Amino acid sequence: MAKKRRVRSTPSTPVRAVPAPAREIPVSALPASSRRPASSLANYDYSYVRRDLRRIGILAALLLGGQMALAFLLPHLLR
């Protein structure tokens, strides 16, 4: 299969100059309400991951058990 090529289109509007980046504000100049300790930044909620992994494990066990049951029962049922 041939590789698809991406066609570049020319912009219909002229390209504008990018404004200079804003000056960085030192952390000490920020109000106390906007400053957060570094430990709170990594405090995410991953409870949904545990639920999803549990659901996947239960489903995998049920499917594996179903396959094992069919492997034993089908030869007797197909005689």
Side-chain angles (χ1 to χ4, degrees):
M1 196 178 244
K3 184 178 178 181
K4 292 183 182 181
R5 292 186 180 180
R6 201 177 272 192
V7 179
R8 290 186 182 204
S9 62
T10 58
S12 58
T13 58
V15 178
R16 297 180 184 172
V18 178
R23 216 172 34 108
E24 287 189 29
I25 301 171
V27 176
S28 60
L30 294 174
S33 61
S34 66
R35 283 186 267 158
R36 286 191 255 164
S39 62
S40 70
L41 294 176
N43 195 10
Y44 299 114
D45 180 31
Y46 290 116
S47 61
Y48 66 95
V49 175
R50 183 174 291 176
R51 282 188 306 232
D52 287 346
L53 288 175
R54 184 174 181 257
R55 188 177 301 139
I56 290 170
I58 290 171
L59 183 62
L62 287 173
L63 290 173
L64 185 62
Q67 283 183 343
M68 291 173 63
L70 285 174
F72 286 114
L73 292 176
L74 278 179
H76 297 291
L77 296 173
L78 295 177
R79 277 198 233 172

